[in-house]
Each structure stands twice: as structure tokens, then as C-alpha cells.
Amino acid sequence: MNLLHYTLHLADNALIIGHRNSEWCGHGPILEQDIAISNIALDYIGQARNFYQYAAELTGNGATEDSLAYLRDAIDFKNCLLTEVPNGDWAQTTLRQFFFSAYQYFLYEQLQNSSNQQLAAIAEKALKEVTYHLRWSSEWVIRLGDGTEESKQRTLRAIDELWSFTGELFTPADYEQQAVTEGYGVDLSQIRENWYKKVTAVFEEATLPLPKENVWMQTGGKTGVHTEHLGFILADMQFLQRAYPGAEW
Amino acid sequence: MERDFEEIFQDKIDQEIKIEPKDWMPEKYRQTLIRQISQHAHSEIVGMLPEGNWITRAPNLRRKAILIAKVQDEAGHGLYLYSAAETLGITRDEMYAQLHSGKAKYSSIFNYPTLSWADIGAIGWLVDGAAIMNQVPLCRSSFGPYARAMVRVCKEESFHQRQGFEILLTLGKGTEAQKRMAQDAINRWWWPSIMMFGPTDDESPNTIQSMKWKIKRFTNDELRQKFVDVCAEQIKILGLTIPDKDLKWNESTGHYDFGKINWDEFWQVVQGNGPCNKQRLETRKKAWEEGAWVREAASAYAEKRKQKQVVTAA
């Protein structure tokens, strides 16, 4: 059960942030960047599928990647709150991507050594993608932080909006603690420092002030207590599967 | 002197030698190409919107991934095409300005709405199918950069068309509700798709010159007929119907006859009165305007970095 929850947590993270990024497709500020963010969305859908396929295997009873993505309600989704916050402007989207990619980078780096071969293999493959996501999003945070006065103000606003969602990344749910005990999960306390170092370095280059580390942080996503946004994401995403139960697409 | 240049130019074209950006070309050739290539690029970019409309609602993960990849391909096509047009002496920003002001057109087909998932299938099968019919000959366009861009575009388009057909095939084999959805989509997309080939030959004044310059290889009516012939066969595999009671095989011509096209609707949509003209253009303008601060920040940062490098180097 723990392994299943842990896998679903990884899958849901990828699906929800991928879904959010895909909302940009056709609406990006620069054509090349429209392609880049759609590409990142696509990478995420791929990662989500890999994790869901494994989760479906663990679930049995005819579960599939699609039944897991399309037929669970918000209470069963285990993604971090950060992944579901609305895109906002380009500053908010790229900063969300940076916070999350930095987390995923260190997470997958460890996870590729997991005692669970499936998880290790998925992480190893995904790490290549995440390395690019991290570089791309770091560059945007730097560019916008150190660009114009307006881009700086927008980035500061985005930091204000998103910072309180970063604590949850490193607050383990029971299934994550269990995963560490059983040897296939990543100890979040160990990657936290690297994450903070990376954020510090990028913010410094971006001439952005570093927010305080020990402020009140929002949590709940990992255990199914989400923001109001997730319900709408799922209403949108699951519409066809819910309206036409059992149909093949 | 001009006359000699023009003769050499036409001679090259007649011998199927590609015209390259630095070669001499008649001003009208340049203008025709800018108009055609930028219109094509705009169509790719505006064309992302009707399909993008279903990305967040795609029915399963596989379809979602394919759809994102497809819409992203269209952005890529827009990119090659804008680059090809830039070789003729116009910037991408100038082309965007023409799109946003309404001076430049894009394919009218994208002014129709996508109302159900089946529309994604119908767009792939019919709209991309018609686009391929139009575009394959463009791989032999006399203008080198355009011809080369089209080779890449066509490869991807044929994948798009297959995935559209496959969506419809799945729906056609599905539940009653799915069949209804698929038929409804074909009913709505069929006529606009065959209008994509443009006005009939006797109403298409530019065709003769474009064919002489080998920018165009077949007339609108020839391509339209080819498309109808292909679709009339493929629809049988789908188990659905084409909404034209006059569609039937004509033994003597060796082609399918088809019904009268509503050219009034065609011109109305071209002139801006289609169901989504305003919406599509507003969406593009909004993306552009809301992205202005991002582009400004990016160039300001690039400038700062350049300055720093100069200082470091000194």
C-alpha cells in the first residue's frame, strides 16, 4: 500500500504540473518558449504515464494508467499543492517550474538508486528531462529577476505567491517516511539542503531577495487535502471519462 | 537590364533550379511569396488554438500526449515558415503586426469551433488531410527555403492526419454516443475543409502567374478533386458518411462528383464573419500583448549580459 501511494504521489505530481504547463500551449509570450513549455508538459505526461503504469500493476483489478488518472477524485490525489497553483503570468509559471524542477532534480537523482528497480528506472530516464527543465527555468528566473523593473516586480509577486507552497515538498507524508524505512524512497531531509542551495544561487544571480526559510508553509496535497484549484483541473481533465463511462478513446 | 534578369529568373524556374534568397527575383514574386508563406505560418499559429482547446480535456493520457505533441509541431511549423519568410526581407514581428491588424490572413478553417473531442479527429483527418494535399506540391516550390521547410512540415502532417483518422476510427467503432459525436464532427468540418483549396479556378486570378513561377503546381480545383476522391474512399473504412447527397462516383470522369460549395459562407468567413474569427484573433493578440513585458525583460537581460562580457573582456 505504501509503495502504491508513493508511486501515485510521484505520478500525480507529474500529471498535475504537466497539465498546468499544457495550458500555455498556443498562448506563450514567444513562439520558441511556447514550444519549450509544451515540451516540458509533454515530458511530464510521459513521466506520469510511466509511474501510473507501474501503479496500475501494483493496484491490480484491471486498473490502468487512465483509470488512475481519470477516475480518482481530488481526495485521492497526492500531488504537492505547488503543482496545482494556477499558471498566473510567465513569471509565476517559470518560478513554479524552477522550484519544482530543483526539487525533482535532487529527488530523482536519489531515486535512481532506489532499491525498487521500476522506480529507479523511471527516475533515471526522467532525470535527463528534469535536468533540462531545471536549466530552462533557472534561466528564466534569472532573466526576469534581472531584466526590467516590471519583470522584477512580477517575479517578486510570484515569490510571494509561491514560497509558502515550497515547504510541503520537504514535509514527508507517512508513505514517504515508510518508503525511506523500506529502502526504496528518498529521504527528503537530505535533498532539502541542496534545493535551498540551488535556490540561493539562482536568486543571487537573479538579484532577488531570498525569502525566509522558516515561515508558515501550506501542506495537505500529499494526503489529499488540496487547494480549490484541483477540483477544477480534474473537472476539466476527467470530463469525457466521467460523461461516457467505459468508452474507448 | 531588368528584362534580362527576368529572363534568367524564368529560365531557372523552367529548369527547376531553386531560387535562393540572394538571387534576383521579380518584386511581385517576392511579395507573392511573403504573402503566401506568412499566411501559411499564421495558419499554423492560429491553428494551434482550436486543437489546443482540447488539450486539457483529452480523454486519456495517450491522446493527451499525442495532442500536445501535435499542437507543438504546429508551433514548430510556424517557426520554420516564419524563418523562410524572413529570408525575403520581412521580420517576424512585422508579420505578427500584419496578422494582428487583420492585414494578413490565415486559413479560414481555423475560424470554426471545436465542440467535441471528435473534432480533434475530424481536424486531423480532413483539415490536415487537405493541408497535405495542398502542401506536398509545395515541397517542389521554386523558392528554396520554402520548399525545404515544406519537406519537414509534410512529414509531420502525415502523422497528424493518421492520428486524426485513428481517433475517428475508434469513435466509429465505439458507443452510439461516440458515433454520433464523430458523425456530427464530420458534418461540420467537411464543407469548410473542401473550401480550404480556395475559390474555383475561374475565380482565382493569381493562379496562372503562380503556376508560371512554380510557386503553385496544381490548381485549386485539381487539388480539391483529388482530396474528395481520397476522402470518399476513406469514409467507407470509418463507417460514417460525408454530408453531401450529390457525392457519387462518376465512371466517365474517373472521379467523384460532389455537390455545390456554399461560396457565400466561404467569403463571409474570409471577411471576418466566421463563428470564431474575433475570438481567434483576440486570443493571439492577447498572447502577444501580455507577452510584451517578457520579451522586453529578455532583451534587457541579454543587453546587460553583453555589457558585462565587454567589461570582463576589457
Side-chain angles (χ1 to χ4, degrees), chain B residues 211-274:
Chain B
M211 288 188 67
K212 185 166 174 237
W213 279 337
K214 297 191 182 170
I215 293 172
K216 216 168 163 171
R217 298 269 176 174
F218 299 97
T219 72
N220 296 352
D221 286 333
E222 284 167 349
L223 290 168
R224 185 172 7 249
Q225 184 65 58
K226 240 169 125 174
F227 180 68
V228 170
D229 289 346
V230 169
C231 293
E233 289 300 319
Q234 290 181 342
I235 193 80
K236 295 176 189 165
I237 305 169
L238 292 175
L240 297 163
T241 40
I242 284 177
D244 178 358
K245 60 178 172 26
D246 297 321
L247 184 80
K248 61 170 181 297
W249 177 249
N250 182 329
E251 200 68 56
S252 63
T253 59
H255 292 290
Y256 277 88
D257 291 338
F258 55 95
K260 243 172 92 89
I261 292 171
N262 182 351
W263 290 112
D264 187 38
E265 175 182 325
F266 174 79
W267 289 113
Q268 285 296 331
V269 181
V270 170
Q271 284 155 25
N273 298 322

Side-chain angles (χ1 to χ4, degrees), chain A residues 2 17 27 32-33 36 48 71-73 85 132 153 159 162 165 195 206 216 225 229:
Chain A
N2 273 309
I17 198 168
H27 307 276
E32 286 82 346
Q33 299 305 324
L71 300 175
R72 282 179 308 141
D73 205 347
V85 293
Y132 162 73
Q153 288 309 320
I159 295 171
L162 299 179
F165 293 108
W195 181 86
W216 178 256
V225 184
H229 306 298

Side-chain angles (χ1 to χ4, degrees), chain A residues 138-158:
Chain A
S138 303
E139 284 170 2
W140 271 108
V141 171
I142 294 165
R143 210 174 272 138
L144 297 181
D146 192 21
T148 60
E149 189 48 37
E150 180 176 6
S151 69
K152 167 155 275 167
Q153 288 309 320
R154 285 176 181 266
T155 309
L156 291 171
R157 210 175 324 154

Side-chain angles (χ1 to χ4, degrees), chain B residues 167-188:
Chain B
I167 288 176
L168 292 176
L169 197 59
T170 309
L171 294 176
K173 286 183 187 155
T175 63
E176 281 310 311
Q178 287 176 305
K179 279 182 211 161
R180 180 169 167 236
M181 204 185 271
Q183 186 60 56
D184 170 63
I186 292 172
N187 293 349
R188 283 180 289 106

Side-chain angles (χ1 to χ4, degrees), chain A residues 15 18-19 22-23 25-32 34-36 38-42 45-46 48-49 52 65-66 69-70 89-91 139-140 142-148 150-151 154-155 205 233 235-241 244-249, chain B residues 45 48-49 52 54-69 71-72 74-79 82 92 96 117 166-167 170-171 174-175 177-178 181 283-284 287-288 290-302 304-305 308:
Chain A
L15 177 62
H19 183 96
S22 78
E23 293 171 0
C25 190
H27 307 276
I30 300 168
L31 188 51
E32 286 82 346
D34 201 308
I35 296 176
S38 304
N39 202 36
I40 293 173
L42 199 54
I45 304 302
R49 291 184 71 185
Y52 282 131
E65 57 173 20
D66 291 324
Y70 289 83
D89 60 11
W90 191 249
E139 284 170 2
W140 271 108
I142 294 165
R143 210 174 272 138
L144 297 181
D146 192 21
T148 60
E150 180 176 6
S151 69
R154 285 176 181 266
T155 309
E205 201 179 337
I233 294 179
D236 216 14
M237 184 169 79
Q238 298 179 339
F239 150 65
L240 283 167
Q241 291 279 355
Y244 303 95
E248 291 283 329
W249 300 93
Chain B
I45 301 308
M48 295 169 74
L49 301 175
W54 280 88
I55 286 177
T56 59
R57 291 176 292 170
N60 59 39
L61 295 174
R62 179 176 152 257
R63 294 286 183 204
K64 198 185 195 70
I66 294 173
L67 187 57
I68 295 172
V71 179
Q72 193 198 19
E74 279 150 18
H77 297 172
L79 206 56
Y82 282 127
R92 207 200 294 181
Y96 281 149
W117 171 251
E166 201 229 319
I167 288 176
T170 309
L171 294 176
T175 63
Q178 287 176 305
M181 204 185 271
T283 306
R284 282 313 314 160
W288 180 249
E290 289 182 357
W293 70 270
V294 179
R295 297 188 297 275
E296 280 159 22
S299 36
Y301 176 74
K304 277 185 200 176
R305 216 169 50 167
K308 256 187 221 162

